[in-house]
Amino acid sequence: VRVPLNVISSLFQLAEEITIALGSSQEQTQRILKQLDEVNSQDWRVQEHRFELENVVDVRGAARRQKKSEGEGAPGEFDSLEMDQYDEIYDVAHALIESVADARELNHGVGEQIKNLDTLLLQQTRLNKELQRLIKHTRMIPVRSVVPRLQRCIRHAARVTGKLIDFEVIGAETEINEDILDKLIDPIMHLLRNAVDHGIEDAQQRVANKKSSQGKVYLHFGQDGQNLTVYCDDDGAGIDEEKVRQKAMQLGLIEEKDALSATQIRQLILKSGFSTKDNANQVSGRGIGMDAVNKRIRDLGGQLRILPRQECGSRFEIKVPLQLVASNALLVQLRQQWFAIPTRQLDQILAPGSAKSTQLGERDALSHEEQLYFTHNLAELLGLGSAEDGKPGPVLLTEITSEPTAICVDAVISNLDLVIKSTGEYVKNVPGIAGVSILGDGRLVPVLDLPALLERKDALPNFTADFDIGSTDDLQTSVDNNILIVDDSLSVRKSLMQLVGDAGYGAETARDGLEAWEKIQQKAPSMILVDMEMPRMNGIELTSRVRNHEQTKNIPIVMITSRSMQKHRSAAEKAGVSQYMTKPFNEADLLTQIQQCIENRVGS
């Protein structure tokens, strides 16, 4: 059965849209489940008030019956002790209690249905992954289909150089996307020609080195998670690292004082114009080749590394991501923005402060498990400026470039399977941006290309990114600026929390002054938004308590109330309120007051 290529492409696009829609459904379901937890918490509070109401009604009813029993009842009437008597308050209270019980049962029913829906979405996710696998399989072909081309390449190189070569392909049954295999075949053949020309010695030299006169070249194909791995091995003389270093100094790539590891020296071979051979032939050219191979693999989103071998010879490793509908990525935060980094570009994530800072020459570095990593701040790579607070954040370790590198970020959000889409015709070739992805909540997240960012930094050490993701001059908010919202109205708490959250601040809520004071003792907020009239402890009492404690007396407090009389203003000012605003308030004015209060506190 022949299927047109455009039909297969349409299937890929449809699978991408299904994945995005499924992610949105899961995000909405998780939000509903969180709201269900809040409903259950509210239900417990309603039950407490219900018991209190029952006790109050029973006590008052008993008192009323006792008072009535002390009077003279009409002849033939039942005594209050002989038969319960009910009034209107009891009837209304009892009806309310029954309604509360019914509402609780409905909440439990809705909760069970939502959990069942979440289970169905998990099943749908598994089915969607199976669909992706099947669609991906429609464009897969085995490696054995190109083995004859590789064999011809080896035979030609052996004939030109006059060497005896034993060539073997391992993993020929591995299936690869046809497009990827077509683009990989030229770089692989170049590596094979280099193995024959540069790596394998002449027969006489091999015999003198107690080797077989016939050189061996191996090509391994395999799959590692979401990556296709290709290893090109030979049992030749290997890479002369000292010769590579001397040649690199002649070309001005490094200086004699530079302390480079063996891995970094080997990676110099991938630099443009680098060659340890002085003569060109039909197999190897001068100054071109490996840099072009590296670029071709980089264009596929992969990486080329030169690894040491325990035996003689050399090993080249190619890692290329398989063409998947969804790719695994790590969400990180810089300032108030989120970015995605494909996990295939990362090796390890370190918790803040788990690595030791050091200096390697004039460059900052981190030491972890006896390995040195040159340090870069991702915000500086993106042109967002340097870190302002100086607090250590998570560190991402990678070896996608010629040197081990540590990338510092503000925070790690989560790990997700994302559909990466192109930026489109109107935003082409943005440096360091591989594409964009749509999160479940509809947010667009740029997907970073770490190798491109690091190479650009190495090429232009003092560069400033020529794309502006967002100016930090106007962005003065921070998740560290946590605002405590205190109001007995649920709707007011939610609206204020959304307002300050959209502005980039962290937010917590409290139902009254007593709950707010408990939270303040646990962790002091940057500022407080408080209502005046609340049960248990009102806003004026809370403000007085905050001002009377040494640790909290400088916290800015903005009182938001419906009371506009001068008498109420005076009481609030006497208690120590920083700003007084009346409802309804202007959102822009409130945000301005919040920013001014936080700036004044920081300045003081």
Side-chain angles (χ1 to χ4, degrees):
V1 177
R2 294 184 178 275
V3 180
L5 186 60
N6 60 344
V7 174
I8 296 178
S9 300
S10 298
L11 287 175
F12 267 91
Q13 293 176 3
L14 182 60
E16 289 179 352
E17 296 302 324
I18 291 175
T19 303
I20 294 173
L22 186 59
S24 299
S25 300
Q26 289 177 324
E27 178 72 21
Q28 294 297 327
T29 303
Q30 292 303 317
R31 289 186 178 184
I32 294 174
L33 287 173
K34 289 181 181 179
Q35 291 181 349
L36 182 62
D37 292 338
E38 296 179 2
V39 170
N40 291 333
S41 300
Q42 185 69 21
D43 179 67
W44 280 110
R45 290 192 288 269
V46 170
Q47 295 304 317
E48 293 176 357
H49 295 322
R50 166 193 166 186
F51 296 141
E52 293 176 1
L53 178 60
E54 286 180 333
N55 292 333
V56 170
V57 171
D58 290 343
V59 169
R60 290 191 176 183
R64 207 164 25 249
R65 288 193 296 272
Q66 180 66 28
K67 182 176 180 181
K68 186 174 182 180
S69 64
E70 293 175 356
E72 295 182 357
E77 290 184 356
F78 288 104
D79 184 79
S80 60
L81 300 177
E82 296 175 334
M83 180 175 289
D84 291 334
Q85 299 178 8
Y86 304 103
D87 55 12
E88 292 181 357
I89 294 178
Y90 181 88
D91 293 339
V92 173
H94 188 69
L96 177 61
I97 291 170
E98 288 184 349
S99 299
V100 169
D102 293 340
R104 187 179 190 187
E105 292 297 325
L106 289 173
N107 286 338
H108 284 304
V110 172
E112 290 299 324
Q113 294 297 325
I114 294 173
K115 291 177 181 178
N116 291 337
L117 176 62
D118 188 47
T119 302
L120 290 175
L121 285 175
L122 290 176
Q123 296 176 359
Q124 182 68 25
T125 301
R126 289 193 289 269
L127 292 174
N128 186 53
K129 288 185 177 180
E130 180 64 17
L131 175 63
Q132 293 179 20
R133 187 188 68 81
L134 292 174
I135 292 176
K136 181 187 69 174
H137 190 72
T138 61
R139 305 181 74 170
M140 306 286 274
I141 59 173
V143 173
R144 67 171 182 270
S145 61
V146 297
V147 169
R149 291 183 61 187
L150 301 177
Q151 292 173 337
R152 287 195 300 271
C153 173
I154 286 287
R155 286 196 300 267
H156 174 72
R159 186 169 55 253
V160 171
T161 57
K163 299 176 182 179
L164 299 177
I165 304 297
D166 179 19
F167 176 56
E168 183 180 358
V169 177
I170 302 172
E173 298 303 318
T174 303
E175 292 188 336
I176 305 176
N177 181 280
E178 186 175 6
D179 291 340
I180 294 178
L181 188 57
D182 287 342
K183 295 175 181 177
L184 269 181
I185 192 68
D186 287 338
I188 290 175
M189 287 195 298
H190 193 98
L191 290 180
L192 293 177
R193 287 191 292 266
N194 275 0
V196 174
D197 190 31
H198 292 265
I200 303 296
E201 313 96 323
D202 295 333
Q204 296 85 354
Q205 186 177 354
R206 290 182 62 85
V207 171
N209 293 334
K210 298 181 180 181
K211 293 182 181 181
S212 170
S213 60
Q214 188 177 47
K216 295 182 179 180
V217 177
Y218 301 93
L219 203 57
H220 306 248
F221 289 88
Q223 184 174 339
D224 180 15
Q226 296 183 0
N227 295 317
L228 166 70
T229 59
V230 184
Y231 294 101
C232 181
D233 296 317
D234 66 72
D235 67 344
I239 297 175
D240 188 341
E241 296 174 0
E242 182 59 31
K243 186 176 181 181
V244 171
R245 180 183 177 88
Q246 294 298 327
K247 189 67 175 181
M249 287 192 296
Q250 292 178 15
L251 296 174
L253 298 176
I254 60 173
E255 297 180 4
E256 186 174 359
K257 63 179 181 180
D258 292 338
L260 301 180
S261 65
T263 300
Q264 292 172 321
I265 292 175
R266 288 192 298 270
Q267 293 296 120
L268 289 172
I269 298 174
L270 305 181
K271 295 293 185 180
S272 177
F274 188 92
S275 177
T276 56
K277 276 212 164 188
D278 298 325
N279 299 316
N281 55 34
Q282 297 179 18
V283 180
S284 299
R286 289 183 57 190
I288 60 173
M290 288 306 298
D291 58 325
V293 170
N294 189 38
K295 183 179 184 305
R296 179 71 65 87
I297 295 172
R298 285 284 312 282
D299 290 342
L300 292 173
Q303 61 184 99
L304 172 63
R305 293 198 299 173
I306 306 172
L307 305 177
R309 293 193 77 213
Q310 295 181 353
E311 305 87 5
C312 57
S314 57
R315 161 171 281 199
F316 290 80
E317 179 196 57
I318 298 175
K319 271 194 176 183
V320 176
L322 297 170
Q323 187 172 359
L324 301 176
V325 176
S327 300
N328 193 264
L330 189 72
L331 283 181
V332 300
Q333 178 174 312
L334 295 174
R335 307 299 180 260
Q336 304 307 309
Q337 302 175 60
W338 286 7
F339 299 88
I341 302 175
T343 52
R344 64 175 181 270
Q345 298 178 359
L346 304 175
D347 296 327
Q348 191 175 355
I349 303 174
L350 300 183
S354 59
K356 182 181 178 181
S357 298
T358 184
Q359 290 288 128
L360 192 58
E362 298 180 354
R363 300 178 62 181
D364 295 332
L366 288 178
S367 175
H368 178 67
E369 296 181 351
E370 299 182 355
Q371 174 74 46
L372 289 178
Y373 295 84
F374 289 109
T375 306
H376 293 282
N377 191 293
L378 188 55
E380 294 178 354
L381 293 177
L382 291 171
L384 296 177
S386 58
E388 298 174 357
D389 51 12
K391 295 182 180 179
V395 177
L396 313 179
L397 302 183
T398 179
E399 294 186 12
I400 53 177
T401 58
S402 60
E403 57 189 23
T405 304
I407 306 294
C408 301
V409 298
D410 293 348
V412 173
I413 306 300
S414 65
N415 183 28
L416 298 172
D417 288 335
L418 301 177
V419 176
I420 302 175
K421 289 184 172 289
S422 170
T423 52
E425 296 182 359
Y426 299 103
V427 191
K428 285 185 176 181
N429 301 324
V430 181
I433 302 296
V436 294
S437 185
I438 304 175
L439 300 184
D441 58 0
R443 185 184 314 188
L444 286 176
V445 175
V447 180
L448 302 181
D449 183 359
L450 275 186
L453 286 174
L454 292 173
E455 285 190 358
R456 185 175 175 84
K457 178 70 173 178
D458 291 339
L460 303 171
N462 299 318
F463 90 104
T464 300
D466 52 6
F467 58 96
D468 186 11
I469 299 179
S471 174
T472 57
D473 295 336
D474 300 328
L475 187 60
Q476 302 295 332
T477 61
S478 171
V479 291
D480 294 332
N481 290 328
N482 193 46
I483 298 176
L484 180 60
I485 300 169
V486 190
D487 201 298
D488 58 337
S489 170
L490 178 62
S491 60
V492 173
R493 292 200 302 271
K494 284 191 172 182
S495 62
L496 286 175
M497 189 172 183
Q498 182 176 2
L499 176 65
V500 300
D502 291 343
Y505 299 97
E508 290 189 17
T509 60
R511 296 190 302 273
D512 52 49
L514 191 58
E515 181 182 354
W517 179 245
E518 293 175 354
K519 291 190 174 184
I520 292 171
Q521 288 179 310
Q522 295 174 0
K523 180 182 179 181
S526 298
M527 71 173 301
I528 302 172
L529 304 181
V530 63
D531 188 18
M532 176 177 285
E533 299 168 293
M534 296 180 295
R536 299 202 295 176
M537 181 187 292
N538 60 39
I540 293 178
E541 294 170 339
L542 174 63
T543 302
S544 299
R545 181 169 292 191
V546 170
R547 293 293 181 244
N548 290 331
H549 280 74
E550 184 66 26
Q551 293 82 3
T552 62
K553 65 179 182 179
N554 295 323
I555 297 177
I557 300 177
V558 176
M559 182 166 286
I560 306 173
T561 177
S562 57
R563 302 294 183 179
S564 58
M565 295 180 60
Q566 185 59 39
K567 180 179 180 180
H568 297 92
R569 289 179 178 271
S570 299
E573 292 175 0
K574 184 177 179 181
V577 170
S578 306
Q579 298 290 338
Y580 190 95
M581 300 184 69
T582 57
K583 300 176 183 177
F585 56 86
N586 183 280
E587 294 182 352
D589 292 342
L590 176 59
L591 292 176
T592 300
Q593 295 289 350
I594 291 174
Q595 185 170 349
Q596 289 178 354
C597 289
I598 291 179
E599 288 177 350
N600 292 337
R601 186 184 183 190
V602 173
S604 60

